[in-house]
Amino acid sequence: MKNTVPISLSTHELAFCLALCGYESMGSQIFNSMQLSVENEADRFIQETEIPLRRKGFWDEDRSTMLVSGLEDLLHLLVHSKKKIRSIKSNQVLFIHMLDQKNVLFQEILGQSHFFSIQAIEEGLTNLLEKHLGLDKESTKPENGFQTLLFSEQMYDELHQLDPSVLEKMVNDPALDVELRQFFADFKENNQEFDNMSFMEMDYIKDYIEIKQVNFLLPSKHFIWNLNYEKIEQEEVYIIPENINEYCKGLNEAIMHYFFQGTAPAIK
């Protein structure tokens, strides 16, 4: 299967197209979330959604689904994919759906827009992950030999509740170690949250989902903070400064291992 040109659908269009392809329950979940309870509202919605699909060249009245074969085929692939990677960064979401032994389906969600494209697995995922996470691929090592940070589980949980003004004071406190100040600055810049990446198994038809593993990371200017939960049983959280290229390489290897071996190894 060759790499495809990205297909763009709004959330409304995606829900409508899923219903047309026979996945009414998936489409109805989106319809219900839009609170289209009055019949004439739903009818108007369908009419208004059909127009942009026609403009995009996705409409074909000669087919039973009314959709061109390429779009219909893509939606079938989406629905029947089981293994997935979900990466969340602020309001941006990236899904990597495993299709077969050679191809993956990318689904980038920006606001109410969904962008789909198919890529050969042999090309790797490193560049896509770096772009999605907003990382500087030219970086080498963490600055100044930054050391691993150690927080108690309670301290880590409290970080997310800190008033931004308190966090700002910590960023500018010369009494704190330089790596700790850098971490607080990066954490504040990222809206006091870590980005996360989940290894998932899903069955849309059976309404089944299982999270196999979740990884938390925080981008810095020249490196990446990797949250390590290996010693969480000791109520300790390690936050490790990592080389971006090496981290993304390890992430790519972990994804490939999950897709082909069925297990999700820790990212190192």
Side-chain angles (χ1 to χ4, degrees), residues 207-243:
D207 195 22
Y208 162 83
I209 179 172
E210 181 179 355
I211 307 296
K212 301 290 188 177
Q213 175 181 300
V214 182
N215 300 282
F216 295 92
L217 58 135
L218 177 67
S220 189
K221 185 176 182 180
H222 298 295
F223 61 95
I224 191 165
W225 297 102
N226 177 24
L227 193 151
N228 189 317
Y229 265 109
E230 287 186 357
K231 295 189 176 182
I232 194 64
E233 67 275 4
Q234 300 176 18
E235 298 185 347
E236 294 178 339
V237 177
Y238 288 79
I239 303 177
I240 307 169
E242 303 273 12
N243 172 281

Side-chain angles (χ1 to χ4, degrees), residues 69-86:
S69 60
L71 176 57
E72 181 180 349
D73 291 344
L74 183 144
L75 293 176
H76 287 309
L77 290 172
L78 171 68
V79 171
H80 290 285
S81 170
K82 297 295 191 296
K83 292 182 179 180
K84 307 171 187 291
I85 306 297
R86 182 187 64 193

Side-chain angles (χ1 to χ4, degrees), residues 100-152:
D100 52 38
Q101 298 296 306
K102 295 183 178 180
N103 302 283
V104 291
L105 171 64
F106 294 145
Q107 178 185 6
E108 295 183 87
I109 307 173
L110 304 175
Q112 293 297 312
S113 297
H114 299 248
F115 301 90
F116 298 92
S117 62
I118 294 174
Q119 179 173 313
I121 291 178
E122 64 181 5
E123 296 186 7
L125 307 175
T126 303
N127 289 337
L128 174 82
L129 293 169
E130 289 175 344
K131 179 181 177 182
H132 169 69
L133 295 171
L135 303 176
D136 179 7
K137 62 190 299 182
E138 301 300 326
S139 68
T140 53
K141 296 181 179 180
E143 292 181 312
N144 304 320
F146 277 6
Q147 302 298 309
T148 296
L149 303 178
L150 173 62
F151 292 92
S152 69

Side-chain angles (χ1 to χ4, degrees), residues 167-215:
L167 197 57
E168 181 67 24
K169 290 180 180 179
M170 297 166 70
V171 170
N172 297 303
D173 187 350
L176 297 178
D177 292 338
V178 62
E179 52 260 67
L180 193 56
R181 293 169 60 189
Q182 182 64 56
F183 168 76
F184 289 142
D186 296 331
F187 191 63
K188 182 174 181 293
E189 178 68 20
N190 212 51
N191 299 315
Q192 292 184 225
E193 62 184 12
F194 278 75
D195 300 337
N196 68 80
M197 186 165 295
S198 302
F199 291 58
M200 311 167 66
E201 186 170 324
M202 298 179 65
D203 190 321
Y204 286 116
I205 297 176
K206 296 181 179 178
D207 195 22
Y208 162 83
I209 179 172
E210 181 179 355
I211 307 296
K212 301 290 188 177
Q213 175 181 300
V214 182
N215 300 282

